[in-house]
């Protein structure tokens, strides 16, 4: 199946800093999503972005499908941005519905 | 408010007992999913259902069973055959093909 690698595994930021999280995948995809899991375990869908660029407030994401990677940008980070960020993909050869999750990037934003 | 409800939030069982986790959605989504998360790890797909009365095994279906008799409900049974059932279980739903996935708040199952 498709492989998903996220980097870095851990990130410590001071409040106000900017950061970039990366998701590499091993094959062509027709579905790519970014999620944020807060410290209480709740998972929120941030972006559905199989290609192109999207922005939502201080967060933005870019997927370059031809080069098999996606980037999540966090600008002016806040303590509420802490948690784990997951990238999930569905390969073009998989049956739909089988999103494969990466191991995540643990982000800690300090005041 | 539309959403996905998982109950209970915490569940404790003795080894050898089957246990059923509830998942209900009022988003009118066709597709529903069950994922398992172990500490410090990503999510792994247990079962998914694209339509009522149909479901497929995910990557780690052994020791689990599901049913999809109603569009809004997708219960997961953790059987005694599951060797390491203690985990965080997350239910999700989506409108279908290539659409965003939305999660419930999860059930933490502890088996001793």
């Amino acid at each position: 199946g498709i492989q998903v690698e996220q980097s870095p595994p851990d990130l410590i930021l001071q409040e106000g800093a900017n950061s970039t999280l990366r998701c590499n995948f091993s094959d062509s995809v027709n579905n790519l999503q970014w999620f944020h899991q807060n410290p209480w375990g709740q998972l929120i869908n941030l972006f559905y972005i199989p290609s192109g660029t999207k922005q939502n407030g201080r967060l933005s994401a870019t997927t370059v499908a031809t080069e098999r990677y996606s980037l999540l940008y966090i600008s002016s980070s806040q303590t509420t941005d802490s948690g784990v960020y997951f990238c999930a993909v569905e390969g073009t050869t998989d049956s739909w519905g089988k999103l494969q999750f990466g191991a995540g990037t643990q982000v800690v934003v300090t005041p | 408010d539309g959403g996905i409800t998982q109950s209970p939030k915490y569940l404790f069982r003795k080894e050898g007992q089957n246990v059923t986790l509830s998942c209900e959605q009022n988003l009118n989504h066709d597709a529903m999913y069950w994922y398992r998360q172990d500490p410090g790890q990503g999510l792994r797909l247990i079962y998914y259902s694209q339509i009522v009365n149909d479901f497929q095994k995910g990557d780690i279906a052994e020791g689990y069973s599901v049913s999809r008799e109603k569009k809004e409900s997708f219960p997961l049974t953790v059987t005694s055959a599951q060797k390491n059932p203690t985990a965080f279980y997350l239910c999700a739903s989506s409108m279908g093909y290539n659409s965003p996935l939305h999660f419930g708040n999860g059930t933490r199952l502890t088996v001793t």
Side-chain angles (χ1 to χ4, degrees):
Chain A
I2 193 166
Q3 304 298 313
V4 184
E5 289 186 9
Q6 291 187 242
S7 61
D10 300 281
L11 193 56
I12 299 177
L13 302 168
Q14 196 150 23
E15 203 167 21
N18 302 328
S19 64
T20 301
L21 283 58
R22 188 177 180 102
C23 172
N24 291 335
F25 41 94
S26 61
D27 206 346
S28 301
V29 299
N30 53 27
N31 185 346
L32 187 147
Q33 302 186 35
W34 283 96
F35 298 87
H36 174 232
Q37 187 170 38
N38 67 22
W40 297 271
Q42 187 181 23
L43 269 158
I44 301 297
N45 191 304
L46 298 175
F47 294 103
Y48 168 78
I49 186 166
S51 64
T53 298
K54 288 187 178 179
Q55 180 152 8
N56 184 1
R58 295 180 297 101
L59 301 180
S60 63
T62 295
T63 297
V64 184
T66 53
E67 296 188 21
R68 300 184 183 170
Y69 73 89
S70 182
L71 302 174
L72 179 69
Y73 305 96
I74 306 175
S75 64
S76 305
S77 58
Q78 300 177 358
T79 55
T80 51
D81 295 330
S82 294
V84 183
Y85 290 81
F86 290 105
C87 167
V89 305
E90 181 183 304
T92 54
T93 57
D94 290 327
S95 63
W96 77 260
K98 293 193 74 175
L99 273 176
Q100 195 72 250
F101 278 74
T105 293
Q106 172 87 54
V107 173
V108 174
V109 181
T110 61
Chain B
D1 278 344
I4 302 167
T5 301
Q6 290 188 244
S7 60
K9 190 172 181 178
Y10 299 95
L11 193 51
F12 299 88
R13 281 294 183 271
K14 294 290 188 186
E15 198 173 313
Q17 294 178 333
N18 291 354
V19 60
T20 297
L21 281 58
S22 170
C23 178
E24 304 275 332
Q25 55 98 0
N26 61 4
L27 300 168
N28 200 31
H29 284 172
D30 286 319
M32 297 187 74
Y33 311 79
W34 276 104
Y35 286 88
R36 170 181 171 141
Q37 186 177 31
D38 292 288
Q41 299 195 23
L43 280 68
R44 292 183 290 168
L45 183 64
I46 304 172
Y47 268 99
Y48 62 110
S49 168
Q50 296 164 335
I51 198 167
V52 175
N53 291 323
D54 188 40
F55 48 83
Q56 287 79 39
K57 293 182 179 180
D59 298 320
I60 56 165
E62 186 175 346
Y64 299 98
S65 66
V66 294
S67 63
R68 186 88 187 277
E69 297 176 3
K70 298 186 295 182
K71 185 175 185 177
E72 59 270 23
S73 178
F74 191 41
L76 173 74
T77 296
V78 184
T79 75
S80 56
Q82 169 49 233
K83 296 191 187 318
N84 296 297
T86 295
F88 187 43
Y89 290 88
L90 288 148
C91 177
S93 70
S94 74
M95 289 183 64
Y97 182 68
N98 281 350
S99 60
L101 195 65
H102 299 279
F103 282 89
N105 287 337
T107 292
R108 294 191 186 275
L109 173 64
T110 302
V111 177
T112 57

